[in-house]
Amino acid sequence: ETGVTQSPTHLIKTRGQQVTLRCSSQSGHNTVSWYQQALGQGPQFIFQYYREEENGRGNFPPRFSGLQFPNYSSELNVNALELDDSALYLCASSLDGVGTSYNSPLHFGNGTRLTVT
Amino acid sequence: GDSVTQMEGPVTLSEEAFLTINCTYTATGYPSLFWYVQYPGEGLQLLLKATKADDKGSNKGFEATYRKETTSFHLEKGSVQVSDSAVYFCALSARDDKIIFGKGTRLHILP
């Protein structure tokens, strides 16, 4: 089975620009969660999509938005980039929900490193 | 709000030493508790979990016991190996929409 893949691996943007990050879920998974991991911090929950609908959101402003497609791949869009948006963005997929069981834990990708200058 | 606090690193040990990484949590209700591990160059992986008080999660020689009275979930291993070098994250899930992570503890094991 293929794992979670994210693209691009690295990205440099200028303050005020917009960015789109992409994630392909692990085969058979219908739930995608996005996390932001600042340097030296743990991952912070941004939002989750289940079967193409947003299914929970963390404390991030509306300029962070997402999409999930019929094949369960996903995009994270960030508008009006700020310097503090510089971080590693992690995508995680799971089956039927947040991924808290051993049978269906969260499967993380290796992340996209975004630098905003 | 819900939160996780874990000991700051880096933690440096010699091979075969005993490991403890402390983790405490604050949550309403009865959360599930997790340890995730991130090996160099790899994504986060679930290491072990516990879903109720006094449960013990274990995997790959690591153990952690859900202690409701002290709101703790300390990670332990009796004899660490160089291959255990990684960043370890304590986490909780109190609702069905998100997992809350601690800041992570970097572990270095010297041969």
Side-chain angles (χ1 to χ4, degrees):
Chain A
E1 59 182 18
T2 56
V4 177
T5 58
Q6 294 186 240
S7 62
T9 55
H10 295 83
L11 199 54
I12 300 174
K13 288 286 190 177
T14 303
R15 188 171 50 184
Q17 286 186 316
Q18 178 267 343
V19 69
T20 298
L21 310 182
R22 295 179 174 80
C23 172
S24 293
S25 305
Q26 178 153 321
S27 176
H29 285 183
N30 54 20
T31 307
V32 172
S33 304
W34 284 92
Y35 287 80
Q36 180 195 65
Q37 187 177 8
L39 197 61
Q41 303 294 314
Q44 300 289 314
F45 176 75
I46 303 175
F47 43 57
Q48 180 186 82
Y49 279 81
Y50 172 64
R51 297 194 178 204
E52 303 178 59
E53 298 285 334
E54 188 177 289
N55 186 39
R57 189 177 181 92
N59 295 324
F60 281 81
R63 59 190 186 83
F64 285 79
S65 63
L67 280 174
Q68 188 180 30
F69 299 100
N71 66 355
Y72 302 132
S73 65
S74 177
E75 288 182 354
L76 165 65
N77 298 290
V78 187
N79 292 324
L81 283 166
E82 301 177 359
L83 297 179
D84 285 348
D85 296 334
S86 295
L88 181 67
Y89 288 85
L90 297 169
C91 170
S93 71
S94 57
L95 182 61
D96 293 338
V98 72
T100 57
S101 72
Y102 278 125
N103 290 336
S104 181
L106 286 179
H107 289 252
F108 282 86
N110 288 349
T112 294
R113 172 81 55 194
L114 173 65
T115 303
V116 181
T117 62
Chain B
D2 300 339
S3 66
V4 174
T5 303
Q6 59 184 107
M7 66 188 290
E8 293 192 17
V11 173
T12 302
L13 296 172
S14 297
E15 204 166 23
E16 299 183 1
F18 183 86
L19 168 71
T20 300
I21 301 178
N22 290 337
C23 171
T24 57
Y25 67 89
T26 301
T28 54
Y30 302 96
S32 294
L33 302 175
F34 309 86
W35 278 99
Y36 279 79
V37 59
Q38 187 171 32
Y39 298 104
E42 299 183 16
L44 282 162
Q45 304 172 25
L46 177 64
L47 179 61
L48 55 83
K49 64 170 285 188
T51 57
K52 61 182 186 296
D54 300 324
D55 264 4
K56 177 185 286 188
S58 60
N59 187 24
K60 299 182 180 181
F62 290 89
E63 292 182 341
T65 301
Y66 190 144
R67 300 289 188 199
K68 185 172 179 295
E69 64 277 13
T70 54
T71 62
S72 65
F73 193 56
H74 304 321
L75 182 68
E76 297 182 337
K77 186 174 185 182
S79 177
V80 291
Q81 306 300 313
V82 172
S83 58
D84 294 326
S85 298
V87 182
Y88 292 81
F89 293 90
C90 185
L92 68 83
S93 175
R95 304 193 305 272
D96 288 337
D97 60 349
K98 62 181 178 181
I99 293 179
I100 297 170
F101 289 86
K103 292 184 178 182
T105 302
R106 184 173 297 277
L107 175 65
H108 293 291
I109 306 300
L110 304 175

